[in-house]
Amino acid sequence: MNHLPSIITGRFAPSPTGALHTGSLVAAVGSWLMAKNTGGRWLLRIDDLDSPRQVPGMVDDILATLESFGLLWDGEIAWQSRNIEAYCATFEELQKLGLVYPCGCSRKEIALSASAPHHDDDCIPYPGTCRNGLRPGAAVRSWRVRVTDEEVCFDDLRRGQVCQNLASYCGDFGLRRGDGGFAYQLAVVVDDHLTGVSQVVRGDDLLGSTPRQVYLQSLLGLQQPGYCHLPLVTGPGGVKLSKRDNLVSQHLGNWTGREGRLLLSVLRFLGQEPPQCLVGASCGEILEWGAKYFDATRIPLAGGELCY
Ligand code: GLU
C-alpha cells in the first residue's frame, strides 16, 4: 500500500516520435491538474532514448503545443538522453544483485518459441531460453532481469488494485540492448526516482508495463510513486489513436485559437463538470478552475471518443 504525499510532484514524459494528439493531451492535462490540485509541481521529461524513431523538430513542436494550452512545467526540462550514467549505475546495481543475464535471442526467435498469447504492448513473453547461459558463440542481443513466478500488485487511483504475474505476462524482461541502449522500463524508474516524482499519471496503454516498473522499484529499494492510469481516447468506432494516423481532429495543431474549447472537452472526458461560464474562457482560467476542483474519483473507467 502506498500513501500519496499531500503535495504531489507529477510529470509528463512525451517521446519525440510524433506530435502530441488528443490522447497525449488527456495525460498532460490529467497529470497537471492532479499535481496542481495539491499545490505541487509538474515536471516535463523528454523520453528521447529511442533515437531511430525520433522525428526532427518534434521536441520544439511538443513544447509549443504544451505552452499553447497553458500547460507550463516547473523547473528545467529533463532529457533521458542526458541521464545515461544514472541508468548505467542502476543497471550495475541490479547486476550485483545477480539478477541480470545476457540473452542471445532475437525478437523473432522469442515470438516463435513463446507459447503464451502476446499482449498488446512491446512484450512477448520470454520463455527463458538464455536463463542458464548463452548458447556458445551467441552474440548478446539484450540483458534481461529475472522475474519470479508471483503476482506484482500496485494500487491505481482509478482502477484500484492491479496485479500481474510477470513470469507469464512478459517473463524475464529486457533492461538493456546488446548495443548498450537502455530500455524504457529501467529508464523510467530511474528518472522518476531521481526527479522526486511522487505520482505517475499517464494513459491506460502503459498500465501493462507498470508492474515491471514496480518490480524494479522493489528490487532497488525505491519508494513507489502513486499511479493513476487514465482512460484512453479513441477515434470513431473505438479505434486506437496512434501518432501515425490521420484523424485530423486529433491533431492538436488543428485546434489553434480554440485550445480552451478542447481543454473543456478534456475536463469532461476526465469526468469533471466545468461550469458553463468557462465556455470562451482562456486556457489559464480553465486550468485554474480544473486545478481547484479536480476530483479524481470522478474519472470514468471507460475510455472512448472525446466529444467537442
Ligand atoms: N514516453 C512515454 C510515451 O510517450 C510515456 C512514459 C511514461 O509516462 O511513463 O508513451
Side-chain angles (χ1 to χ4, degrees):
M1 190 76 186
N2 62 74
H3 298 277
L4 285 181
S6 46
I7 296 185
I8 285 170
T9 299
R11 50 69 152 182
F12 180 56
S15 307
T17 52
L20 298 182
H21 52 57
T22 50
S24 345
L25 185 66
V26 166
V29 170
S31 57
W32 194 95
L33 293 175
M34 287 167 78
K36 297 295 170 180
N37 178 253
T38 67
R41 284 158 52 83
W42 187 68
L43 310 180
L44 179 63
R45 184 179 78 227
I46 303 296
D47 282 1
D48 58 349
L49 277 188
D50 193 0
S51 33
R53 290 180 56 227
Q54 282 172 43
V55 179
M58 209 32 82
V59 172
D60 288 343
D61 188 271
I62 290 172
L63 301 185
T65 302
L66 291 174
E67 281 169 346
S68 72
F69 282 89
L71 293 163
L72 304 181
W73 53 93
D74 295 297
E76 301 264 304
I77 299 174
W79 301 76
Q80 287 196 324
S81 58
R82 299 180 193 171
N83 211 12
I84 304 296
E85 269 177 42
Y87 309 145
C88 273
T90 304
F91 180 75
E92 282 168 15
E93 208 178 319
L94 291 166
Q95 274 184 315
K96 281 192 196 123
L97 294 174
L99 293 170
V100 179
Y101 65 87
C103 169
C105 302
S106 66
R107 281 182 78 86
K108 200 170 161 195
E109 283 167 331
I110 298 167
L112 287 175
S113 61
S115 51
H118 302 177
H119 305 280
D120 189 23
D121 68 10
D122 60 347
C123 125
I124 300 169
Y126 178 64
T129 319
C130 301
R131 240 186 174 210
N132 300 317
L134 273 182
R135 283 180 303 246
V140 177
R141 286 178 184 266
S142 65
W143 297 84
R144 295 181 179 273
V145 63
R146 289 172 201 275
V147 301
T148 45
D149 186 11
E150 56 198 344
E151 303 258 288
V152 172
C153 300
F154 68 97
D155 289 310
D156 185 88
L157 204 55
R158 165 171 153 264
R159 289 179 159 262
Q161 195 185 49
V162 176
C163 293
Q164 186 190 83
N165 182 307
L166 289 180
S168 58
Y169 188 88
C170 58
D172 299 342
F173 57 94
L175 297 178
R176 195 170 190 178
R177 295 190 308 267
D179 68 5
F182 288 100
Y184 158 70
Q185 306 296 349
L186 177 85
V188 68
V189 165
V190 173
D191 291 325
D192 286 337
H193 168 66
L194 289 180
T195 52
V197 166
S198 57
Q199 187 187 52
V200 171
V201 178
R202 57 189 175 192
D204 247 351
D205 51 335
L206 289 166
L207 186 76
S209 65
T210 303
R212 273 169 278 174
Q213 294 161 22
V214 166
Y215 176 66
L216 290 180
Q217 286 153 1
S218 70
L219 295 179
L220 295 161
L222 304 179
Q223 171 90 30
Q224 188 189 116
Y227 285 99
C228 183
H229 291 82
L230 299 175
L232 292 185
V233 178
T234 64
V239 295
K240 200 177 160 198
L241 289 191
S242 98
K243 287 179 173 165
R244 286 173 293 280
D245 66 28
N246 288 319
L247 286 168
V248 172
S249 58
Q250 310 295 345
H251 284 268
L252 300 180
N254 294 309
W255 287 87
T256 305
R258 298 178 299 153
E259 287 91 349
R261 191 169 152 209
L262 189 56
L263 270 185
L264 288 173
S265 305
V266 169
L267 279 173
R268 288 189 211 100
F269 182 82
L270 291 172
Q272 314 301 303
E273 290 181 351
Q276 201 54 26
C277 62
L278 282 177
V279 173
S282 69
C283 289
E285 287 164 329
I286 295 168
L287 288 174
E288 195 184 315
W289 180 91
K292 195 163 174 196
Y293 296 107
F294 195 81
D295 180 357
T297 63
R298 301 183 63 97
I299 305 173
L301 261 186
E305 269 187 79
L306 191 67
C307 306
Y308 17 75

PDB file of all heavy atoms in Angstrom, residues 11-17 20 24 27 45-48 80 184 188 192 200-203 205-206 209 213 243, ligand 1:
ATOM      1  N   ARG A  11       4.396  14.544 -13.395  1.00  0.00           N
ATOM      2  CA  ARG A  11       5.251  14.733 -14.582  1.00  0.00           C
ATOM      3  C   ARG A  11       4.504  14.320 -15.838  1.00  0.00           C
ATOM      4  O   ARG A  11       3.517  13.585 -15.804  1.00  0.00           O
ATOM      5  CB  ARG A  11       6.563  13.997 -14.425  1.00  0.00           C
ATOM      6  CG  ARG A  11       6.509  12.529 -14.011  1.00  0.00           C
ATOM      7  CD  ARG A  11       5.964  11.652 -15.053  1.00  0.00           C
ATOM      8  NE  ARG A  11       6.438  10.288 -15.027  1.00  0.00           N
ATOM      9  CZ  ARG A  11       6.070   9.377 -15.923  1.00  0.00           C
ATOM     10  NH1 ARG A  11       5.194   9.670 -16.858  1.00  0.00           N
ATOM     11  NH2 ARG A  11       6.535   8.158 -15.872  1.00  0.00           N
ATOM     12  N   PHE A  12       5.031  14.830 -16.942  1.00  0.00           N
ATOM     13  CA  PHE A  12       4.559  14.419 -18.259  1.00  0.00           C
ATOM     14  C   PHE A  12       5.819  14.050 -19.026  1.00  0.00           C
ATOM     15  O   PHE A  12       6.817  14.766 -18.947  1.00  0.00           O
ATOM     16  CB  PHE A  12       3.798  15.573 -18.927  1.00  0.00           C
ATOM     17  CG  PHE A  12       3.274  15.249 -20.298  1.00  0.00           C
ATOM     18  CD1 PHE A  12       2.435  14.164 -20.496  1.00  0.00           C
ATOM     19  CD2 PHE A  12       3.611  16.049 -21.393  1.00  0.00           C
ATOM     20  CE1 PHE A  12       1.935  13.869 -21.764  1.00  0.00           C
ATOM     21  CE2 PHE A  12       3.112  15.760 -22.651  1.00  0.00           C
ATOM     22  CZ  PHE A  12       2.275  14.669 -22.840  1.00  0.00           C
ATOM     23  N   ALA A  13       5.777  12.924 -19.730  1.00  0.00           N
ATOM     24  CA  ALA A  13       7.021  12.400 -20.320  1.00  0.00           C
ATOM     25  C   ALA A  13       6.816  11.981 -21.769  1.00  0.00           C
ATOM     26  O   ALA A  13       6.827  10.801 -22.091  1.00  0.00           O
ATOM     27  CB  ALA A  13       7.516  11.226 -19.475  1.00  0.00           C
ATOM     28  N   PRO A  14       6.614  12.936 -22.662  1.00  0.00           N
ATOM     29  CA  PRO A  14       6.389  12.555 -24.064  1.00  0.00           C
ATOM     30  C   PRO A  14       7.662  12.043 -24.745  1.00  0.00           C
ATOM     31  O   PRO A  14       8.765  12.435 -24.386  1.00  0.00           O
ATOM     32  CB  PRO A  14       5.942  13.875 -24.711  1.00  0.00           C
ATOM     33  CG  PRO A  14       6.568  14.942 -23.866  1.00  0.00           C
ATOM     34  CD  PRO A  14       6.613  14.396 -22.466  1.00  0.00           C
ATOM     35  N   SER A  15       7.460  11.169 -25.710  1.00  0.00           N
ATOM     36  CA  SER A  15       8.567  10.725 -26.567  1.00  0.00           C
ATOM     37  C   SER A  15       8.484  11.559 -27.843  1.00  0.00           C
ATOM     38  O   SER A  15       7.393  11.689 -28.414  1.00  0.00           O
ATOM     39  CB  SER A  15       8.397   9.253 -26.945  1.00  0.00           C
ATOM     40  OG  SER A  15       8.232   8.479 -25.788  1.00  0.00           O
ATOM     41  N   PRO A  16       9.605  12.090 -28.311  1.00  0.00           N
ATOM     42  CA  PRO A  16       9.541  12.959 -29.502  1.00  0.00           C
ATOM     43  C   PRO A  16       9.473  12.171 -30.810  1.00  0.00           C
ATOM     44  O   PRO A  16      10.199  12.442 -31.756  1.00  0.00           O
ATOM     45  CB  PRO A  16      10.821  13.791 -29.394  1.00  0.00           C
ATOM     46  CG  PRO A  16      11.748  12.957 -28.601  1.00  0.00           C
ATOM     47  CD  PRO A  16      10.942  12.049 -27.720  1.00  0.00           C
ATOM     48  N   THR A  17       8.593  11.186 -30.828  1.00  0.00           N
ATOM     49  CA  THR A  17       8.459  10.343 -32.015  1.00  0.00           C
ATOM     50  C   THR A  17       7.287  10.778 -32.890  1.00  0.00           C
ATOM     51  O   THR A  17       7.019  10.179 -33.931  1.00  0.00           O
ATOM     52  CB  THR A  17       8.251   8.877 -31.605  1.00  0.00           C
ATOM     53  OG1 THR A  17       7.163   8.826 -30.676  1.00  0.00           O
ATOM     54  CG2 THR A  17       9.479   8.302 -30.933  1.00  0.00           C
ATOM     55  N   LEU A  20       2.015  15.613 -30.382  1.00  0.00           N
ATOM     56  CA  LEU A  20       1.030  15.259 -29.354  1.00  0.00           C
ATOM     57  C   LEU A  20      -0.344  15.179 -30.009  1.00  0.00           C
ATOM     58  O   LEU A  20      -0.667  15.973 -30.891  1.00  0.00           O
ATOM     59  CB  LEU A  20       1.000  16.334 -28.258  1.00  0.00           C
ATOM     60  CG  LEU A  20       2.296  16.549 -27.463  1.00  0.00           C
ATOM     61  CD1 LEU A  20       2.072  17.606 -26.386  1.00  0.00           C
ATOM     62  CD2 LEU A  20       2.786  15.258 -26.837  1.00  0.00           C
ATOM     63  N   SER A  24      -2.564  12.271 -25.858  1.00  0.00           N
ATOM     64  CA  SER A  24      -1.441  12.798 -25.063  1.00  0.00           C
ATOM     65  C   SER A  24      -1.908  13.982 -24.230  1.00  0.00           C
ATOM     66  O   SER A  24      -1.464  14.177 -23.096  1.00  0.00           O
ATOM     67  CB  SER A  24      -0.276  13.261 -25.933  1.00  0.00           C
ATOM     68  OG  SER A  24      -0.315  12.814 -27.248  1.00  0.00           O
ATOM     69  N   ALA A  27      -3.412  12.933 -20.993  1.00  0.00           N
ATOM     70  CA  ALA A  27      -2.396  12.570 -19.993  1.00  0.00           C
ATOM     71  C   ALA A  27      -1.725  13.818 -19.427  1.00  0.00           C
ATOM     72  O   ALA A  27      -1.508  13.927 -18.214  1.00  0.00           O
ATOM     73  CB  ALA A  27      -1.360  11.637 -20.611  1.00  0.00           C
ATOM     74  N   ARG A  45       9.581  15.783 -18.893  1.00  0.00           N
ATOM     75  CA  ARG A  45      10.746  14.988 -19.279  1.00  0.00           C
ATOM     76  C   ARG A  45      10.592  14.568 -20.735  1.00  0.00           C
ATOM     77  O   ARG A  45       9.498  14.190 -21.156  1.00  0.00           O
ATOM     78  CB  ARG A  45      10.813  13.738 -18.399  1.00  0.00           C
ATOM     79  CG  ARG A  45      12.049  12.901 -18.672  1.00  0.00           C
ATOM     80  CD  ARG A  45      12.110  11.692 -17.772  1.00  0.00           C
ATOM     81  NE  ARG A  45      11.227  10.640 -18.219  1.00  0.00           N
ATOM     82  CZ  ARG A  45      10.385   9.960 -17.433  1.00  0.00           C
ATOM     83  NH1 ARG A  45      10.294  10.246 -16.148  1.00  0.00           N
ATOM     84  NH2 ARG A  45       9.638   9.009 -17.922  1.00  0.00           N
ATOM     85  N   ILE A  46      11.657  14.677 -21.485  1.00  0.00           N
ATOM     86  CA  ILE A  46      11.624  14.232 -22.874  1.00  0.00           C
ATOM     87  C   ILE A  46      12.221  12.825 -22.928  1.00  0.00           C
ATOM     88  O   ILE A  46      13.385  12.627 -22.605  1.00  0.00           O
ATOM     89  CB  ILE A  46      12.419  15.211 -23.787  1.00  0.00           C
ATOM     90  CG1 ILE A  46      11.862  16.651 -23.665  1.00  0.00           C
ATOM     91  CG2 ILE A  46      12.400  14.728 -25.229  1.00  0.00           C
ATOM     92  CD1 ILE A  46      10.443  16.842 -24.146  1.00  0.00           C
ATOM     93  N   ASP A  47      11.405  11.874 -23.314  1.00  0.00           N
ATOM     94  CA  ASP A  47      11.846  10.467 -23.376  1.00  0.00           C
ATOM     95  C   ASP A  47      12.489  10.200 -24.735  1.00  0.00           C
ATOM     96  O   ASP A  47      11.861   9.671 -25.657  1.00  0.00           O
ATOM     97  CB  ASP A  47      10.649   9.531 -23.141  1.00  0.00           C
ATOM     98  CG  ASP A  47      10.291   9.438 -21.653  1.00  0.00           C
ATOM     99  OD1 ASP A  47      10.956  10.100 -20.833  1.00  0.00           O
ATOM    100  OD2 ASP A  47       9.342   8.693 -21.321  1.00  0.00           O
ATOM    101  N   ASP A  48      13.743  10.609 -24.844  1.00  0.00           N
ATOM    102  CA  ASP A  48      14.416  10.579 -26.151  1.00  0.00           C
ATOM    103  C   ASP A  48      15.505   9.513 -26.226  1.00  0.00           C
ATOM    104  O   ASP A  48      16.566   9.743 -26.783  1.00  0.00           O
ATOM    105  CB  ASP A  48      14.999  11.969 -26.455  1.00  0.00           C
ATOM    106  CG  ASP A  48      15.971  12.436 -25.380  1.00  0.00           C
ATOM    107  OD1 ASP A  48      16.032  11.791 -24.306  1.00  0.00           O
ATOM    108  OD2 ASP A  48      16.680  13.423 -25.604  1.00  0.00           O
ATOM    109  N   GLN A  80      16.060  12.181 -21.156  1.00  0.00           N
ATOM    110  CA  GLN A  80      16.589  10.840 -20.878  1.00  0.00           C
ATOM    111  C   GLN A  80      17.969  10.659 -21.495  1.00  0.00           C
ATOM    112  O   GLN A  80      18.834  10.015 -20.912  1.00  0.00           O
ATOM    113  CB  GLN A  80      15.634   9.766 -21.418  1.00  0.00           C
ATOM    114  CG  GLN A  80      14.378   9.644 -20.567  1.00  0.00           C
ATOM    115  CD  GLN A  80      13.616   8.367 -20.822  1.00  0.00           C
ATOM    116  OE1 GLN A  80      13.555   7.889 -21.947  1.00  0.00           O
ATOM    117  NE2 GLN A  80      13.011   7.823 -19.785  1.00  0.00           N
ATOM    118  N   TYR A 184      13.150   1.420 -21.818  1.00  0.00           N
ATOM    119  CA  TYR A 184      12.218   2.342 -21.168  1.00  0.00           C
ATOM    120  C   TYR A 184      11.939   1.935 -19.718  1.00  0.00           C
ATOM    121  O   TYR A 184      11.912   2.765 -18.817  1.00  0.00           O
ATOM    122  CB  TYR A 184      10.929   2.391 -22.006  1.00  0.00           C
ATOM    123  CG  TYR A 184       9.708   2.856 -21.268  1.00  0.00           C
ATOM    124  CD1 TYR A 184       9.585   4.189 -20.869  1.00  0.00           C
ATOM    125  CD2 TYR A 184       8.675   1.975 -20.962  1.00  0.00           C
ATOM    126  CE1 TYR A 184       8.461   4.620 -20.180  1.00  0.00           C
ATOM    127  CE2 TYR A 184       7.554   2.397 -20.276  1.00  0.00           C
ATOM    128  CZ  TYR A 184       7.453   3.718 -19.874  1.00  0.00           C
ATOM    129  OH  TYR A 184       6.353   4.126 -19.184  1.00  0.00           O
ATOM    130  N   VAL A 188      12.645   4.785 -16.943  1.00  0.00           N
ATOM    131  CA  VAL A 188      11.537   5.498 -16.314  1.00  0.00           C
ATOM    132  C   VAL A 188      11.598   5.388 -14.785  1.00  0.00           C
ATOM    133  O   VAL A 188      11.315   6.352 -14.064  1.00  0.00           O
ATOM    134  CB  VAL A 188      10.185   4.989 -16.886  1.00  0.00           C
ATOM    135  CG1 VAL A 188       9.901   3.563 -16.482  1.00  0.00           C
ATOM    136  CG2 VAL A 188       9.030   5.844 -16.495  1.00  0.00           C
ATOM    137  N   ASP A 192      12.044   8.810 -12.653  1.00  0.00           N
ATOM    138  CA  ASP A 192      11.001   9.237 -11.725  1.00  0.00           C
ATOM    139  C   ASP A 192      11.559   9.316 -10.301  1.00  0.00           C
ATOM    140  O   ASP A 192      11.225  10.211  -9.545  1.00  0.00           O
ATOM    141  CB  ASP A 192       9.789   8.285 -11.794  1.00  0.00           C
ATOM    142  CG  ASP A 192       8.964   8.494 -13.072  1.00  0.00           C
ATOM    143  OD1 ASP A 192       9.052   9.601 -13.655  1.00  0.00           O
ATOM    144  OD2 ASP A 192       8.249   7.570 -13.489  1.00  0.00           O
ATOM    145  N   VAL A 200       2.606   9.172 -10.800  1.00  0.00           N
ATOM    146  CA  VAL A 200       2.710   8.973 -12.247  1.00  0.00           C
ATOM    147  C   VAL A 200       1.290   8.890 -12.804  1.00  0.00           C
ATOM    148  O   VAL A 200       0.527   7.993 -12.451  1.00  0.00           O
ATOM    149  CB  VAL A 200       3.489   7.673 -12.555  1.00  0.00           C
ATOM    150  CG1 VAL A 200       3.423   7.338 -14.040  1.00  0.00           C
ATOM    151  CG2 VAL A 200       4.939   7.806 -12.091  1.00  0.00           C
ATOM    152  N   VAL A 201       0.948   9.868 -13.643  1.00  0.00           N
ATOM    153  CA  VAL A 201      -0.373   9.881 -14.291  1.00  0.00           C
ATOM    154  C   VAL A 201      -0.112   9.750 -15.786  1.00  0.00           C
ATOM    155  O   VAL A 201       0.626  10.552 -16.358  1.00  0.00           O
ATOM    156  CB  VAL A 201      -1.118  11.201 -13.994  1.00  0.00           C
ATOM    157  CG1 VAL A 201      -2.462  11.222 -14.709  1.00  0.00           C
ATOM    158  CG2 VAL A 201      -1.306  11.375 -12.493  1.00  0.00           C
ATOM    159  N   ARG A 202      -0.676   8.728 -16.404  1.00  0.00           N
ATOM    160  CA  ARG A 202      -0.439   8.510 -17.832  1.00  0.00           C
ATOM    161  C   ARG A 202      -1.568   7.654 -18.373  1.00  0.00           C
ATOM    162  O   ARG A 202      -2.464   7.242 -17.621  1.00  0.00           O
ATOM    163  CB  ARG A 202       0.929   7.847 -18.040  1.00  0.00           C
ATOM    164  CG  ARG A 202       1.073   6.542 -17.283  1.00  0.00           C
ATOM    165  CD  ARG A 202       2.498   6.025 -17.332  1.00  0.00           C
ATOM    166  NE  ARG A 202       2.644   4.841 -16.498  1.00  0.00           N
ATOM    167  CZ  ARG A 202       3.799   4.307 -16.157  1.00  0.00           C
ATOM    168  NH1 ARG A 202       4.921   4.842 -16.558  1.00  0.00           N
ATOM    169  NH2 ARG A 202       3.851   3.221 -15.397  1.00  0.00           N
ATOM    170  N   GLY A 203      -1.518   7.358 -19.665  1.00  0.00           N
ATOM    171  CA  GLY A 203      -2.628   6.642 -20.288  1.00  0.00           C
ATOM    172  C   GLY A 203      -2.658   5.166 -19.920  1.00  0.00           C
ATOM    173  O   GLY A 203      -1.643   4.565 -19.553  1.00  0.00           O
ATOM    174  N   ASP A 205      -2.682   2.811 -21.780  1.00  0.00           N
ATOM    175  CA  ASP A 205      -1.847   1.983 -22.662  1.00  0.00           C
ATOM    176  C   ASP A 205      -0.562   1.539 -21.963  1.00  0.00           C
ATOM    177  O   ASP A 205       0.071   0.581 -22.387  1.00  0.00           O
ATOM    178  CB  ASP A 205      -1.520   2.717 -23.978  1.00  0.00           C
ATOM    179  CG  ASP A 205      -0.962   4.113 -23.765  1.00  0.00           C
ATOM    180  OD1 ASP A 205      -1.228   4.723 -22.712  1.00  0.00           O
ATOM    181  OD2 ASP A 205      -0.244   4.604 -24.650  1.00  0.00           O
ATOM    182  N   LEU A 206      -0.184   2.247 -20.886  1.00  0.00           N
ATOM    183  CA  LEU A 206       1.041   1.881 -20.177  1.00  0.00           C
ATOM    184  C   LEU A 206       0.779   1.052 -18.919  1.00  0.00           C
ATOM    185  O   LEU A 206       1.714   0.684 -18.205  1.00  0.00           O
ATOM    186  CB  LEU A 206       1.858   3.138 -19.857  1.00  0.00           C
ATOM    187  CG  LEU A 206       2.498   3.753 -21.111  1.00  0.00           C
ATOM    188  CD1 LEU A 206       3.008   5.151 -20.847  1.00  0.00           C
ATOM    189  CD2 LEU A 206       3.621   2.879 -21.637  1.00  0.00           C
ATOM    190  N   SER A 209       2.759  -2.158 -18.391  1.00  0.00           N
ATOM    191  CA  SER A 209       4.196  -2.131 -18.107  1.00  0.00           C
ATOM    192  C   SER A 209       4.479  -1.652 -16.678  1.00  0.00           C
ATOM    193  O   SER A 209       5.608  -1.790 -16.205  1.00  0.00           O
ATOM    194  CB  SER A 209       4.955  -1.296 -19.135  1.00  0.00           C
ATOM    195  OG  SER A 209       4.588   0.036 -19.058  1.00  0.00           O
ATOM    196  N   GLN A 213       7.802  -1.952 -13.724  1.00  0.00           N
ATOM    197  CA  GLN A 213       8.455  -0.820 -13.068  1.00  0.00           C
ATOM    198  C   GLN A 213       8.377  -0.950 -11.543  1.00  0.00           C
ATOM    199  O   GLN A 213       9.347  -0.677 -10.830  1.00  0.00           O
ATOM    200  CB  GLN A 213       7.820   0.482 -13.571  1.00  0.00           C
ATOM    201  CG  GLN A 213       8.122   0.676 -15.053  1.00  0.00           C
ATOM    202  CD  GLN A 213       7.209   1.655 -15.766  1.00  0.00           C
ATOM    203  OE1 GLN A 213       6.591   2.514 -15.151  1.00  0.00           O
ATOM    204  NE2 GLN A 213       7.112   1.519 -17.077  1.00  0.00           N
ATOM    205  N   LYS A 243       0.214   7.870 -33.265  1.00  0.00           N
ATOM    206  CA  LYS A 243       0.870   9.073 -33.761  1.00  0.00           C
ATOM    207  C   LYS A 243       0.931   9.069 -35.278  1.00  0.00           C
ATOM    208  O   LYS A 243       1.204  10.063 -35.897  1.00  0.00           O
ATOM    209  CB  LYS A 243       2.278   9.156 -33.181  1.00  0.00           C
ATOM    210  CG  LYS A 243       2.239   9.539 -31.714  1.00  0.00           C
ATOM    211  CD  LYS A 243       3.599   9.606 -31.109  1.00  0.00           C
ATOM    212  CE  LYS A 243       3.472  10.172 -29.691  1.00  0.00           C
ATOM    213  NZ  LYS A 243       4.656   9.970 -28.894  1.00  0.00           N
TER     214      LYS A 243
HETATM  215  N1  GLU B   1       7.374   8.353 -23.097  1.00  0.00           N
HETATM  216  C1  GLU B   1       6.237   7.515 -22.941  1.00  0.00           C
HETATM  217  C2  GLU B   1       5.245   7.761 -24.068  1.00  0.00           C
HETATM  218  O1  GLU B   1       5.287   8.800 -24.699  1.00  0.00           O
HETATM  219  C3  GLU B   1       5.492   7.747 -21.643  1.00  0.00           C
HETATM  220  C4  GLU B   1       6.290   7.381 -20.478  1.00  0.00           C
HETATM  221  C5  GLU B   1       5.542   7.443 -19.164  1.00  0.00           C
HETATM  222  O2  GLU B   1       4.616   8.242 -18.994  1.00  0.00           O
HETATM  223  O3  GLU B   1       5.952   6.696 -18.287  1.00  0.00           O
HETATM  224  O4  GLU B   1       4.436   6.896 -24.318  1.00  0.00           O
END
